[in-house]
Amino acid sequence: MSKKPSEQRRGGLPNLRNSSEDDGENTHLLSPESKAPSPKRQDRPFLIVIGGGTTGQMYALQENEVIIGRARSSTIRLDDDGVSRSHAKLTCHGSEVHIEDLGSANGTFVNWEAVVSRRPLKDGDKITLGSVTILKFTHNDDVDESFHRRMFEAALRDGLTNAYNKRYFTERIAKELAYARRHGAPLSLIMLDIDHFKSVNDTFGHPAGDAVLIQLSSVALATLRTEDVFARYGGEEFAVLCRGVDVKDAAIVADRLREWVGAMRTRHDGREVAVTLSLGVAGYPDIDAENPEQLITAADEALFEAKRDGRNRVVVRSRS
């Protein structure tokens, strides 16, 4: 006695659909001729910061000789007080890379072994320099590099405004202040806040408030120098860190931002939103800040004074 089709499926092989049946869910098989050719993988040497500094930052080793050190002239410059001005040298020939110490004060270590003579690097080697800096040697192709850089950038940026996030700002101001104190160079901090931002959200809605934050960030990033650090400090408060700029010039930068944002009009849902800024400026050595918190506090006090005195203005923190 023959079994019904349903009974045949219970104990045997799955019931396969006829390939001619098409319910819109079938996979279209590409012919070999229509498949895109796979690009040849081309690995190149890189160093990735895995300890100290800006963790996750990637350096492509594109030159024949790469100098690692604290000096501005270094190919790879590391802000670590334990790193010598010219600390180590990498010699690159294609994918082959050798490392040697340049008589550094604290030595160069590969996998925690001191580098006493020129030695080759292998994929995955960990290079220790100074007090906290650890670099990983690796090879990546274009796809790996692009992915890693996107992930690194995403970790540093605020998701809404594309400004740097507070974590990056906190790390950067500590390094910049240490550099300024070591070299007697000026460093200025601008703290800025959107006036009456709560009323923008209450009147126009939070999506409109987000649009204002996005446009403000776009204006600031287009106005500031590439070496300035523009970061979202929290909510509608932002910070600008200006290396090599004294408080007098920083006040000019701050007033320019105030004017540009004051002239800015954000359109959202058929309505136009206008905002103003209050800004506080403080700088080293005008403020003899021994740590980042003192410089931030000084700029925040100036910002509070700008708001207290009527908003839409710039206040510079005087020498204490």
Side-chain angles (χ1 to χ4, degrees):
M1 179 177 176
S2 61
K3 295 181 180 180
K4 296 179 181 179
S6 59
E7 292 174 337
Q8 290 176 334
R9 289 196 295 271
R10 285 190 191 120
L13 295 173
N15 185 37
L16 301 178
R17 293 176 61 94
N18 190 298
S19 61
S20 64
E21 297 179 11
D22 186 3
D23 57 5
E25 297 179 353
N26 292 336
T27 301
H28 175 65
L29 298 178
L30 299 175
S31 65
E33 294 78 11
S34 64
K35 292 182 180 179
S38 299
K40 184 179 180 181
R41 180 184 174 97
Q42 294 182 340
D43 287 346
R44 299 185 308 281
F46 290 85
L47 290 179
I48 301 174
V49 180
I50 62 172
T54 307
T55 303
Q57 187 164 1
M58 172 184 280
Y59 298 98
L61 304 179
Q62 299 174 329
E63 302 180 23
N64 293 333
E65 287 190 354
V66 174
I67 303 298
I68 304 174
R70 207 178 66 242
R72 287 198 178 207
S73 57
S74 300
T75 317
I76 296 177
R77 183 172 177 271
L78 301 173
D79 288 318
D80 180 345
D81 287 338
V83 172
S84 297
R85 291 179 59 80
S86 293
H87 196 106
K89 181 172 76 172
L90 301 177
T91 305
C92 311
H93 297 289
S95 62
E96 295 182 4
V97 178
H98 291 73
I99 188 170
E100 59 185 295
D101 185 74
L102 295 177
S104 63
N106 295 311
T108 301
F109 300 82
V110 174
N111 300 329
W112 295 275
E113 294 182 1
V115 175
V116 295
S117 61
R118 186 172 178 267
R119 60 171 288 176
L121 290 174
K122 303 187 302 296
D123 202 64
D125 278 349
K126 296 176 179 63
I127 304 166
T128 305
L129 310 100
S131 54
V132 297
T133 301
I134 303 175
L135 309 173
K136 181 180 179 180
F137 177 74
T138 185
H139 289 84
N140 288 312
D141 62 9
D142 290 339
V143 176
D144 293 331
E145 179 187 2
S146 176
F147 172 77
H148 187 95
R149 291 194 186 281
R150 287 199 306 269
M151 293 297 291
F152 173 66
E153 191 69 13
L156 301 181
R157 298 282 181 178
D158 173 62
L160 177 67
T161 64
N162 201 40
Y164 284 114
N165 57 32
K166 187 175 181 179
R167 172 193 161 200
Y168 177 80
F169 169 78
T170 303
E171 293 176 353
R172 186 67 179 269
I173 191 174
K175 294 177 185 177
E176 294 293 348
L177 182 58
Y179 178 90
R181 291 184 63 85
R182 187 165 59 242
H183 297 279
L187 174 69
S188 291
L189 174 62
I190 304 169
M191 300 296 290
L192 57 103
D193 190 87
I194 300 175
D195 297 326
H196 302 297
F197 187 69
K198 184 178 182 299
S199 67
V200 173
N201 286 328
D202 292 345
T203 304
F204 300 96
H206 287 276
D210 287 348
V212 169
L213 294 174
I214 292 169
Q215 189 170 359
L216 183 154
S217 182
S218 178
V219 167
L221 290 171
T223 304
L224 299 168
R225 305 175 304 170
T226 55
E227 59 265 39
D228 294 330
V229 176
F230 176 70
R232 188 178 183 185
Y233 195 73
E236 68 274 19
E237 188 174 7
F238 293 80
V240 184
L241 194 60
C242 305
R243 172 189 266 199
V245 176
D246 61 26
V247 289
K248 180 180 178 181
D249 288 337
I252 296 172
V253 173
D255 201 54
R256 186 185 306 140
L257 278 171
R258 184 191 64 81
E259 290 178 350
W260 284 34
V261 172
M264 181 181 84
R265 296 295 180 267
T266 303
R267 294 195 63 82
H268 180 79
D269 200 20
R271 305 172 76 184
E272 193 171 77
V273 185
V275 296
T276 59
L277 288 182
S278 294
L279 306 96
V281 181
Y284 176 88
D286 195 68
I287 301 295
D288 188 20
E290 297 180 355
N291 55 62
E293 290 73 23
Q294 292 176 340
L295 189 59
I296 293 170
T297 298
D300 255 339
E301 289 175 351
L303 171 60
F304 177 78
E305 185 177 341
K307 285 187 169 293
R308 186 189 61 196
D309 291 349
R311 296 181 169 84
N312 190 24
R313 65 191 63 221
V314 176
V315 170
V316 178
R317 183 74 160 85
S318 61
R319 184 183 295 273
S320 55

